[in-house]
Amino acid sequence: MSLKDYEHLAKGETLSLDTVLANLKTDEHGLIAAIAQQHDTGEVLMLAYMNEKSIRETLETGQVCYWSRSRQTYWRKGESSGHRQTLVSMSFDCDGDAILVKVDQQGPACHTNRRDCFFFTVDGENVVIGSAPLC
């Protein structure tokens, strides 16, 4: 099954979290892309990866937890920097292959100390650095 099998459900109907998690399309490592968005402004902050354990931890603690592909370990956003992401809501897309995590971001979201990770902006044949580090 997949989440597509549930597209016919009407607004307000429910599925169990276990059902949704069992139907996510993950890669061969059990990872799924997660987009972090500032809940009140709509600003897209970053893209990271989650697995079932990090999803459940995020939902249980209210602090966003990702899987670091480079470090091969769990990464609790802001754990070392103090730039935490507090969960406001979590949604899954219709195909079950992406997560939208609406957060309250404290400080920069990017490891470069910029507000967001999307600062390389295409301008014709050039790419312009669109923001400076905040600290």
Side-chain angles (χ1 to χ4, degrees):
M1 293 188 80
S2 73
L3 289 184
K4 285 190 164 284
D5 295 317
Y6 301 103
E7 289 178 349
H8 67 279
L9 296 177
K11 182 178 179 177
E13 290 190 62
T14 62
L15 297 169
S16 72
L17 180 61
D18 288 340
T19 296
V20 172
L21 294 180
N23 286 285
L24 294 179
K25 291 181 190 172
T26 60
D27 70 10
E28 64 275 11
H29 305 290
L31 300 175
I32 184 171
I35 301 161
Q37 181 182 37
Q38 178 63 31
H39 74 100
D40 53 354
T41 66
E43 176 185 20
V44 176
L45 301 170
M46 56 181 274
L47 171 83
Y49 292 86
M50 299 178 98
N51 60 20
E52 183 174 341
K53 183 176 176 183
S54 65
I55 292 168
R56 288 186 185 277
E57 179 179 319
T58 298
L59 292 169
E60 289 169 9
T61 67
Q63 295 298 310
V64 182
C65 176
Y66 300 106
W67 176 259
S68 172
R69 296 182 304 165
S70 60
R71 295 186 307 256
Q72 292 293 294
T73 190
Y74 290 97
W75 161 42
R76 289 150 189 97
K77 185 69 176 152
E79 194 169 49
S80 59
S81 68
H83 302 149
R84 296 197 178 276
Q85 288 181 346
T86 303
L87 181 68
V88 174
S89 68
M90 182 182 290
S91 303
F92 303 94
D93 80 330
C94 59
D95 293 324
D97 60 6
I99 302 171
L100 177 61
V101 184
K102 291 189 180 181
V103 302
D104 185 16
Q105 174 70 48
Q106 302 301 310
C110 185
H111 75 281
T112 65
N113 284 323
R114 289 173 171 87
R115 175 68 180 164
D116 64 72
C117 295
F118 299 98
F119 57 87
F120 291 104
T121 304
V122 176
D123 182 13
E125 295 296 316
N126 297 305
V127 175
V128 178
I129 306 304
S131 65
L134 299 175
C135 45

